[in-house]
Amino acid sequence: MISDQARRLLEELHGQLPGEGNRERLRLLGELGEVAVLPALLPLALRSVDAIATLARLLEGQPASLVCRLDGVIRAYLCIGGQVDWDSLSLERLRELGDLPGGEWLLAAVCSHRNGRLREGAVRRLAESMTSGQEIAYLVTRLNDWVGPVRQAAAEALGTRLTDSLAARFVECLPFLERIPGRPDQLAFLEQIRAFISRPEHLESALSSPDRELRQSALRASELSEALLRRALGDGEQTIQAWALRQLPQVQVSPAFREELLDDSRSAVRRAGILAGPGLAPERSGLLLDKSPKVRAIAQSRFAHLDLAEFYRQRLPQKAALAGLGETGRAEDAGLLLPFCRHSRVAVRALARLDRDGHLEELLRLLVAEPELAKEAFRALIPVAGRVTGPLSQLAVSESTPPHSRILALDLLERGDKWESLALLLELRQLALLQRWWQHYNRRQVRPRPLQLQRARQALASLEADEFAELRQLLNSLGE
């Protein structure tokens, strides 16, 4: 984004003749340091030495990641036509401008011109006039140029720069080099560059770069090893950690590193640690009590030779043991969980998992417990809501039912049999829920049974609300 001050300076500069006022504006524009002004500054640089100096000030020292993006920005802004000075630029004029102080930076920008001959000329002149290494990013962007001579000129210039002293400049371009597929005539050269960059001594600095994208590219270009994955797992970026976990199965990890993984505070890393080897030592049975369900599930597969249910029975009432018994126990183990259901949501969840049908009364009683337990009981009752409409109706109308429990009971009633819930909602005069029932009505759903239809009609007859005229019409039509 361009600041208001920079935008105002550009508006004052365009169309003006060179002068002291413009020199001051260009100086201020350079001090702002906003690279986003470059596309608008380029036409000015073709007719002003001061503008070239400002351009050089803005471009010098910019990272390769920005240079690669800048190519697309310049083309998008200036390749649509309408910029007379830029569009009419000639090779002769480009040579003259390239010899001016700071002209090498103008050449770097012209490498993104829409005219292929100008791009080729700019690439060749840039390779001659700049040898500091900052030109490498501009040359690399042209390796994927759609004009063959431009690609060839860039490859020739880069081929002479594949030296250890300039390796860091090539490494900075690694994210861009990863993305480009490469033209057929440059595939071999691209592979040569990637092989040069991938040397461990060249990638070391990129692995510690503050640029996340560059670190990711450097990791992908490095040879997989335990040390590399340890480094990636210690990175602060979650995307890099996730990449390391995906690569872990391809590396033979040492027992010491696996122990580090198993003791990690991140559940995803602990899972990877379990999967990193064929089995687990008996002293690692504590992973069966991991707080993460996914870690417990993988650990259970590794300790399948044990009586897992008995393991968890002996460790009640630990929270992980309650959850583990629900995952590995049998229906008869549900009785062991009952004493803990009044205090633990995990126990309620495990009870429903082991024997929901055999403990419907207990789940209904929990529906009037404190809110957290009531919500867990509510989730457990959703699949069987249609079978407990009677008790739910009583909870919904009872004055002693806590407000949160009444809401949950009504919600369960609505989730049961469509026509049964309609009759109940009409009898309970739940107008808001009736509106929602009507909004979700589907004419293709199962037709009501005669008793359900009769009950719904009788309940609707006692309501005087005009907004249910369409519902009354529906019920009348279903009996025809």
Side-chain angles (χ1 to χ4, degrees):
M1 295 293 292
I2 301 177
S3 67
D4 292 339
Q5 183 180 359
R7 194 184 308 278
R8 184 170 60 254
L9 289 170
L10 286 172
E11 290 173 355
E12 293 172 355
L13 283 166
H14 276 280
Q16 301 287 333
L17 293 174
E20 289 297 326
N22 279 359
R23 184 174 292 113
E24 179 63 18
R25 293 187 185 98
L26 287 166
R27 185 187 66 78
L28 291 173
L29 200 61
E31 289 181 353
L32 289 175
E34 298 181 23
V35 183
V37 306
L38 283 171
L41 183 63
L42 284 173
L44 297 173
L46 301 181
R47 49 190 171 94
S48 167
V49 175
D50 296 320
I52 292 178
T54 301
L55 178 71
R57 184 174 182 177
L58 291 173
L59 283 179
E60 190 170 5
Q62 293 297 341
S65 58
L66 186 142
V67 171
C68 294
R69 290 195 297 269
L70 191 61
D71 172 60
V73 173
I74 292 175
R75 287 191 286 110
Y77 185 85
L78 294 172
C79 290
I80 57 176
Q83 298 288 348
V84 177
D85 292 334
W86 181 258
D87 293 340
S88 60
L89 180 64
S90 64
L91 283 171
E92 293 74 15
R93 179 60 176 158
L94 181 62
R95 295 189 188 98
E96 295 174 5
L97 292 170
D99 293 333
L100 295 174
E104 66 273 15
W105 293 105
L106 178 59
L107 292 170
V110 176
C111 287
S112 298
H113 200 282
R114 67 174 176 174
N115 186 309
R117 292 186 180 276
L118 282 175
R119 290 200 305 280
E120 181 186 359
V123 165
R124 296 191 183 280
R125 286 298 308 278
L126 178 65
E128 296 171 359
S129 59
M130 190 184 293
T131 57
S132 64
Q134 295 190 69
E135 73 280 7
I136 288 176
Y138 298 92
L139 298 174
V140 165
T141 59
R142 301 274 59 89
L143 282 177
N144 199 44
D145 199 280
W146 57 97
V147 176
V150 178
R151 295 196 299 272
Q152 185 60 34
E156 291 173 0
L158 289 170
T160 64
R161 289 167 166 79
L162 288 175
T163 62
D164 290 341
S165 61
L166 295 176
R169 295 291 185 178
F170 280 95
V171 172
E172 290 176 0
C173 302
L174 186 55
F176 177 78
L177 289 168
E178 274 191 322
R179 289 194 297 270
I180 61 174
R183 309 281 176 167
D185 59 334
Q186 295 297 336
L187 288 177
F189 183 63
L190 281 172
E191 286 303 314
Q192 182 183 349
I193 293 180
R194 289 167 180 153
F196 172 74
I197 292 175
S198 298
R199 295 178 188 174
E201 63 271 20
H202 294 164
L203 288 174
E204 182 58 35
S205 60
L207 291 171
S208 305
S209 170
D211 186 331
R212 174 183 57 83
E213 189 179 14
L214 180 56
R215 290 201 310 279
Q216 285 180 309
S217 296
L219 285 166
R220 287 191 289 266
S222 300
E223 183 179 357
L224 281 179
S225 66
E226 182 179 302
L228 183 74
L229 295 183
R230 180 184 277 110
R231 185 172 192 165
L233 287 172
D235 195 282
E237 286 289 337
Q238 291 188 357
T239 53
I240 292 179
Q241 297 172 20
W243 173 86
L245 292 176
R246 290 195 298 271
Q247 308 309 311
L248 198 57
Q250 304 177 39
V251 177
Q252 184 69 36
V253 301
S254 65
F257 184 41
R258 192 184 186 199
E259 290 298 316
E260 292 179 26
L261 298 175
L262 295 174
D263 291 330
D264 198 278
S265 61
R266 295 162 291 182
S267 61
V269 178
R270 295 197 299 277
R271 292 201 308 270
I274 298 174
L275 295 172
L280 288 171
E283 56 269 22
R284 278 295 178 178
S285 61
L287 290 167
L288 292 169
L289 296 171
D290 197 278
K291 62 183 179 181
S292 167
K294 293 182 178 179
V295 174
R296 285 199 308 273
I298 300 174
Q300 288 163 9
S301 68
R302 290 294 190 268
F303 288 103
H305 58 282
L306 300 178
D307 185 346
L308 295 174
E310 182 60 27
F311 175 90
Y312 289 119
R313 291 187 201 105
Q314 293 175 2
R315 287 160 180 79
L316 295 177
Q318 294 183 45
K319 184 182 291 187
L322 292 169
L325 187 57
E327 293 158 357
T328 62
R330 299 180 292 273
E332 50 266 30
D333 291 319
L336 297 174
L337 299 170
L338 287 175
F340 310 110
C341 287
R342 285 290 176 179
H343 314 286
S344 171
R345 291 184 302 162
V346 177
V348 177
R349 193 179 308 129
L351 177 71
R353 186 168 186 170
L354 289 178
D355 190 15
R356 185 199 335 263
D357 293 345
H359 294 82
L360 291 178
E361 292 184 6
E362 178 64 24
L363 292 172
L364 286 167
R365 282 195 292 270
L366 289 169
L367 205 58
V368 295
E370 60 186 65
E372 288 190 358
L373 291 174
K375 288 179 182 177
E376 200 61 54
F378 164 79
R379 297 187 189 99
L381 287 168
I382 287 176
V384 294
R387 292 159 48 189
V388 290
T389 53
L392 291 174
S393 301
Q394 294 176 9
L395 287 175
V397 299
S398 174
E399 295 181 359
S400 62
T401 303
H404 70 273
S405 301
R406 181 177 291 108
I407 292 172
L408 295 176
L410 289 169
D411 198 336
L412 284 170
L413 285 171
E414 188 187 15
R415 291 168 184 265
D417 181 281
K418 287 294 181 184
W419 296 105
E420 192 70 26
S421 65
L422 173 62
L424 287 168
L425 293 175
L426 286 168
E427 292 169 355
L428 296 173
R429 298 177 180 273
Q430 294 296 318
L431 302 186
L433 292 176
L434 283 168
Q435 289 284 8
R436 193 163 67 177
W437 187 99
W438 177 248
Q439 290 171 1
H440 292 89
Y441 170 70
N442 185 345
R443 293 184 180 277
R444 293 185 179 182
Q445 68 189 32
V446 179
R447 292 172 64 88
R449 297 189 298 273
L451 288 177
Q452 291 176 329
L453 184 59
Q454 180 183 358
R455 184 179 172 188
R457 283 175 175 173
Q458 290 174 351
L460 184 59
S462 62
L463 292 178
E464 299 178 358
D466 295 336
E467 58 264 35
F468 295 112
E470 293 183 4
L471 178 59
R472 186 174 286 107
Q473 183 178 357
L474 170 66
L475 294 178
N476 291 333
S477 66
L478 289 172
E480 296 174 356

